[in-house]
Amino acid sequence: MSSKCFKNVVVVDKKKKHKPQKHHSCCKRETCKCNFKKPELKATKLNSDCFLVNSVVGTKTVQKVAERTIPLTDLGIPVLSDIVSITVTPDLDGITQNARIIKDKVVNIGLVPATVSITVLDVALPITFTTSIPFQAHTDFPGACPQDMLQETPFEIEGVFTQQVPGVDVAGVVTLAGILVKVVLRTTITVTRQVIKDPEGNFCDVDPNRCEKPGTPPSFNFPAPTNGNGGII
């Protein structure tokens, strides 16, 4: 507060008394009273006495496996025996996937970004690089239909595995030596369906034809996944 409000002071019987103050703008506290009130909720008139609710078709915890073989020629490593150790660090926040529901199944295709570090014999620094490890999975979901809604919890890693793969000559086909990387993921899939509930507690499907089998099998062309922790496109 400004000192202008208290500069006029007189002494009476050795006690300080203030002269009546003039109404200076700095003392007008009443202009700062802010009484905010929560808006009152207003009743909404409904068009009917039915409600739209989500019915759970099913929920289950499943595993998904991401897997990739990295050829030694891409790493500049001459032979498998030169590899001392391999470390794989998946990036959970960067996992991307596409998912769709078909009749009685949930289909997923996705990528797990990871950093791979390989210690090589007689090489001072490890070979470190980033890569994407693809996965695909189909989960049996009896009763699920293409028009249902799909939710999945963020992925959790259950295990990371690596294995050296020697070159194999089978029936004249040469398979390059490399490193097999496998990441086991866990998530919970939930499929829901919108239904209408009437006052008597009866339910009816919003789309009664959602589970009718199409004349030809559905075909999907997924775009490249975008970043997101278990996000579904």
Side-chain angles (χ1 to χ4, degrees), residues 75-77 82-89 115-130 179:
L75 303 174
I77 301 174
D82 287 345
I83 297 176
V84 177
S85 64
I86 305 170
T87 302
V88 179
T89 307
T115 300
V116 181
S117 183
I118 304 173
T119 302
V120 182
L121 188 68
D122 296 329
V123 178
L125 297 176
I127 299 173
T128 302
F129 59 94
T130 57
I179 300 169

Side-chain angles (χ1 to χ4, degrees), residues 60-66 106 108 135-140 152 155-159 161 182-189:
K60 61 173 62 177
T61 299
V62 299
Q63 291 178 324
K64 300 180 183 182
V65 179
V106 175
N108 299 87
F135 69 87
Q136 63 84 27
H138 59 276
T139 304
D140 289 331
E152 292 193 22
F155 288 112
E156 296 179 32
I157 297 177
E158 289 198 327
F161 306 86
K182 186 188 295 284
V183 179
V184 180
L185 305 168
R186 183 178 71 248
T187 184
T188 298
I189 300 175

